Amino acid sequence: MSLDDNAPIVAGGGYIYFADEDTPKPRVTDPLNPGRAWTNIGHTSREDLPEFGRDGDDPETMGSWQNSKLRQTTPDITYSVTFQALQATADVYRLYFGADETFVQPDGSIRIPATPVPQIKALLVVLVDGRKFIPLWHPRTSLLGSDAISMATDDFVIFPITGTFLSSRLIGGAVGEWAQVLPLRNPNAARQRNYEGGAFGFGAAAEREADSL
């Protein structure tokens, strides 16, 4: 592997989107415009950025009489992401409390179920670093509140939500696809335009953008 000075990335900004489960991978050329199918979850904490977790067994070394380190076992691993939502909206309430659309009341409030049911959604996390970005797509994610709602007189109310990545038939039972670093042609464009949806892709479109820089 060669040294690539463009590959290291600082998550200076980012966006989290959700859509119906098994929504196909979008073709992203603009972090604020992944397409009509995707809903922005809104503001999330800057102090506690999204954390991608890995939980499961460690591989064990197996040996024979002739070779004490013949092979390793294949561990069972679960991957997840935890983020701190800041907006007191119906979307955040539903994900935190495990409430489907039937719990949305006529006045827009959310009825909190006695037994929460994780909401299965497609999840898209976009990391932004100046003139480059990385889309992280997970077509089936089980989302639910994962800790207490925290409040303070000098900070926002925080709704911690954890998404556990599930296998998807769209990608042969895998749990997600992460792009390599993609170029952002105009880092200020997202603030200058009003969007009505679009497309996102990890491939040829990004390469054409890179060639034009």
Side-chain angles (χ1 to χ4, degrees):
M1 181 182 297
S2 61
L3 294 175
D4 184 350
D5 292 345
N6 189 56
I9 190 166
V10 176
Y15 305 92
I16 300 175
Y17 301 91
F18 67 91
D20 292 339
E21 67 173 301
D22 280 332
T23 294
K25 179 172 67 178
R27 229 181 140 68
V28 176
T29 58
D30 187 328
L32 273 178
N33 186 23
R36 295 180 184 275
W38 297 88
T39 299
N40 193 330
I41 203 165
H43 292 288
T44 57
S45 174
R46 185 176 179 84
E47 283 69 36
D48 295 307
L49 297 182
E51 180 174 290
F52 288 86
R54 179 186 183 279
D55 186 38
D57 302 325
D58 292 326
E60 296 182 3
T61 301
M62 302 171 60
S64 68
W65 194 18
Q66 290 74 27
N67 185 343
S68 62
K69 297 177 178 59
L70 184 60
R71 59 163 292 183
Q72 281 194 314
T73 59
T74 301
D76 184 15
I77 302 297
T78 298
Y79 296 100
S80 64
V81 61
T82 298
F83 57 90
Q84 316 297 321
L86 300 180
Q87 295 191 182
T89 62
D91 287 336
V92 169
Y93 291 162
R94 285 184 53 203
L95 297 180
Y96 182 85
F97 290 111
D100 62 27
E101 52 276 348
T102 64
F103 286 86
V104 181
Q105 302 305 296
D107 64 356
S109 62
I110 300 297
R111 183 168 293 169
I112 300 172
T115 302
V117 176
Q119 301 299 290
I120 310 299
K121 302 289 184 182
L123 196 71
L124 175 67
V125 180
V126 184
L127 311 181
V128 181
D129 180 6
R131 295 182 58 85
K132 55 190 178 181
F133 69 100
I134 299 179
L136 315 174
W137 170 69
H138 296 273
R140 294 185 68 240
T141 305
S142 177
L143 292 148
L144 190 64
S146 55
D147 206 343
I149 297 172
S150 63
M151 305 182 188
T153 58
D154 58 351
D155 203 355
F156 301 111
V157 175
I158 295 176
F159 303 86
I161 297 172
T162 292
T164 301
F165 303 136
L166 308 177
S167 62
S168 170
R169 59 178 176 76
L170 291 183
I171 47 178
V175 299
E177 293 183 0
W178 287 23
Q180 298 185 63
V181 175
L182 302 176
L184 182 61
R185 183 192 299 251
N186 181 2
N188 296 317
R191 302 184 183 92
Q192 296 168 354
R193 297 196 301 271
N194 293 322
Y195 294 111
E196 298 179 354
F200 138 19
F202 296 169
E207 293 173 3
R208 288 194 296 272
E209 290 237 354
D211 292 339
S212 66
L213 290 177

